[in-house]
Amino acid sequence: GQNIDQPTEMTATEGAIVQINCTYQTSGFNGLFWYQQHAGEAPTFLSYNVLDGLEEKGRFSSFLSRSKGYSYLLLKELQMKDSASYLCAVVDSNYQLIWGAGTKLIIKP
Amino acid sequence: GAVVSQHPSRVICKSGTSVKIECRSLDFQATTMFWYRQFPKQSLMLMATSNEGSKATYEQGVEKDKFLINHASLTLSTLTVTSAHPEDSSFYICSATKIAGGLVVEQFFGPGTRLTVL
């Protein structure tokens, strides 16, 4: 079957760095998305990786290793507003998005 | 960037009525649109995939006669919840996808529709 694994919850301190990991096993691979979702709101796009390596966008970076079925989202200089759920999703061979359950990130002062 | 809109953002209806939710891609043509449902504190659950001009593909356990999906154009897909019941109360989210050259080049979510069935 298809499976996406990410930690359920993580806690970090304001100003620090946190890495949220995602491992996947899917039928085919056409890219991996990271989304941020605040409670009661729709997900918002953070990044899309289809090739191996690191993509940097300001405070957020996303890394992909297709051979390892592994990605991470790196958040730097954490702010209180970064408290949210972070969702990892893989596009399979049928262009379906396979979703992880999300990682709830709690930022403490 | 691209924008996907949903209407209505919030709807409250009586049990047994039908509710239509619209999803529009405002500045790009969406080859494929996905409809999701999300219950509180749970992950997104894919309901169906709709491709412009063809019948939607429903996920296992999703009743196609209850959740009617129409994708009449490259910028509009609608989800109609027929004979809604309280257990259908949920957050419904659409996403619009553009696929070109075998790659997902654009993928954006609508803001979601909160459905409450009394």
Side-chain angles (χ1 to χ4, degrees):
Chain A
Q2 309 208 87
N3 193 49
I4 309 284
D5 284 319
Q6 51 182 130
T8 305
E9 186 174 297
M10 298 181 71
T11 302
T13 306
E14 189 177 15
I17 299 174
V18 70
Q19 177 174 313
I20 303 174
N21 295 325
C22 171
T23 57
Y24 63 90
Q25 291 177 310
T26 56
S27 56
F29 179 83
N30 280 306
L32 184 146
F33 287 93
W34 282 98
Y35 288 90
Q36 180 191 63
Q37 186 178 26
H38 287 99
E41 298 180 11
T44 54
F45 171 83
L46 290 178
S47 66
Y48 173 62
N49 293 66
V50 66
L51 299 175
D52 291 347
L54 186 68
E55 297 266 349
E56 297 187 72
K57 278 188 184 179
R59 294 190 300 116
F60 292 5
S61 302
S62 57
F63 171 84
L64 174 68
S65 170
R66 288 171 294 171
S67 62
K68 296 181 179 178
Y70 168 70
S71 173
Y72 68 72
L73 179 69
L74 191 71
L75 293 77
K76 304 174 187 175
E77 301 169 18
L78 287 170
Q79 301 174 9
M80 297 304 292
K81 67 179 182 178
D82 297 330
S83 292
S85 286
Y86 290 85
L87 308 174
C88 171
V90 172
V91 184
D92 71 6
S93 55
N94 294 318
Y95 296 106
Q96 299 271 22
L97 271 175
I98 312 301
W99 290 91
T103 299
K104 183 178 179 181
L105 178 63
I106 300 168
I107 310 296
K108 295 185 175 179
Chain B
V3 176
V4 174
S5 70
Q6 265 184 256
H7 178 79
S9 58
R10 189 179 294 269
V11 57
I12 300 172
C13 68
K14 292 182 179 180
S15 184
T17 60
S18 294
V19 175
K20 179 187 280 189
I21 303 169
E22 292 188 348
C23 176
R24 292 181 184 272
S25 58
L26 298 182
D27 58 0
F28 73 100
Q29 292 183 325
T31 311
T32 304
M33 287 185 172
F34 299 93
W35 285 96
Y36 294 87
R37 180 167 53 182
Q38 186 176 36
F39 294 104
K41 298 184 180 180
Q42 293 187 22
S43 187
L44 292 166
M45 292 171 48
L46 179 65
M47 298 177 66
T49 303
S50 72
N51 295 297
E52 184 265 339
S54 62
K55 289 184 179 180
T57 303
Y58 289 81
E59 294 299 297
Q60 194 172 7
V62 178
E63 300 174 56
K64 63 180 182 180
D65 294 330
K66 180 172 180 64
F67 299 99
L68 302 178
I69 292 173
N70 183 280
H71 192 159
S73 75
L74 285 171
T75 59
L76 174 64
S77 177
T78 60
L79 168 67
T80 302
V81 183
T82 62
S83 187
H85 292 285
E87 58 265 30
D88 298 324
S89 297
S90 187
F91 193 44
Y92 291 85
I93 310 171
C94 74
S95 70
T97 302
K98 181 179 179 182
I99 299 172
L103 292 177
V104 177
V105 295
E106 292 193 61
Q107 167 83 35
F108 295 94
F109 283 89
T113 297
R114 176 77 58 192
L115 171 64
T116 303
V117 184
L118 303 176

